[in-house]
Amino acid sequence: MVAEKYRLTYLDTGAMYRMIAFTSIRDGVDLDNIEEVVNLLNKVKIDMKNGMFYVDGVDVSLDIRTPEVTAIVSKVAAIREVRVKLVDLQREISKGKDVILDGRDIGTVVFINADLKIFLVASPEERAKRRVLDFKNKGINEKFEDVLSEIIRRDEFDSNRKESPLKKAEDAIEIDTSFMNIEEVVGAISEMVGERK
């Protein structure tokens, strides 16, 4: 929504890791076997167009949001070779453009000199509530308790991983969205983006 308002290119970096996770499941890749992972990275083609996500030319927009992909995406994102490949791709896609990205290491690794860094937080319970609603809208029924425990597990894993851990950049502005709706969050971000335009 912010991208549309300011005509920015939006890059959903989390979806990129999800596409690799989806492909690893599809192809039966052993994530503990780096050679298999590298082979996958060398052959897979991921693309994003008009808010849709494609792996090898096939629309996987719904497939990458399943609980099965969610369960392994942190493990995929912790693999150094995956991160190097996708960070390079994120930088390449962003070259010469005004971009807005979301992800767990954008301000600390991908673009450490970004014009504006915003660190969005919300309570695990609120995030679980939102995720369950997202799933429901996609026709997937998940229990709140299961989603909540998965969010807590992923946060713990991502915050303590060796490669590009989840953490707030020192110069990031933190916004707690726990008690905000989407319009209020977009308004708060837009205000900051507008100040820099």
Side-chain angles (χ1 to χ4, degrees):
M1 291 167 78
V2 175
E4 285 178 17
K5 184 172 182 177
Y6 290 101
R7 295 192 178 101
L8 304 170
T9 298
Y10 169 55
L11 187 53
D12 184 345
T13 65
M16 296 172 81
Y17 288 98
R18 285 179 173 274
M19 285 190 273
I20 299 299
F22 163 79
T23 310
S24 73
I25 294 170
R26 182 196 70 183
D27 294 359
V29 171
D30 178 359
L31 296 177
D32 294 317
N33 185 324
I34 297 304
E35 189 177 335
E36 284 188 31
V37 174
V38 169
N39 286 340
L40 171 69
L41 291 171
N42 288 336
K43 71 177 184 179
V44 69
K45 290 187 171 46
I46 65 174
D47 198 8
M48 294 168 278
K49 292 177 190 169
N50 304 317
M52 307 299 279
F53 304 98
Y54 300 86
V55 170
D56 298 328
V58 177
D59 181 0
V60 295
S61 303
L62 290 177
D63 301 299
I64 64 172
R65 305 293 178 187
T66 63
E68 293 77 18
V69 169
T70 299
I72 67 161
V73 70
S74 285
K75 183 169 184 177
V76 169
I79 299 170
R80 183 178 183 279
E81 289 77 3
V82 173
R83 296 206 76 83
V84 168
K85 176 93 174 181
L86 293 188
V87 167
D88 284 348
L89 186 55
Q90 289 156 18
R91 289 173 177 156
E92 187 61 35
I93 292 170
S94 301
K95 263 186 193 168
K97 298 174 187 158
D98 289 329
V99 295
I100 183 167
L101 300 87
D102 63 354
R104 296 189 160 204
D105 67 344
I106 303 305
T108 55
V109 175
V110 184
F111 290 112
I112 57 172
N113 296 316
D115 293 330
L116 175 63
K117 299 178 189 178
I118 300 170
F119 193 73
L120 297 177
V121 298
S123 70
E125 291 77 13
E126 179 59 28
R127 289 162 57 209
K129 197 164 69 174
R130 294 171 184 173
R131 183 74 52 85
V132 168
L133 186 59
D134 282 344
F135 278 141
K136 190 175 179 183
N137 290 337
K138 293 178 175 77
I140 303 168
N141 289 314
E142 282 290 301
K143 291 181 182 171
F144 173 83
E145 295 77 12
D146 293 342
V147 174
L148 176 60
S149 64
E150 177 62 19
I151 283 173
I152 292 169
R153 185 196 67 77
R154 275 194 67 200
D155 285 351
E156 176 71 17
F157 184 90
D158 289 353
S159 297
N160 293 291
R161 69 187 178 209
K162 183 180 175 186
E163 294 295 330
S164 307
L166 162 64
K167 65 179 181 179
K168 177 184 171 185
E170 287 183 13
D171 55 344
I173 299 163
E174 184 170 322
I175 302 175
D176 187 341
T177 70
S178 298
F179 303 102
M180 299 169 74
N181 62 34
I182 186 68
E183 289 77 18
E184 290 169 329
V185 175
V186 169
I189 295 172
S190 295
E191 200 173 296
M192 293 181 214
V193 172
E195 288 171 358
R196 285 164 169 77
K197 279 287 189 183

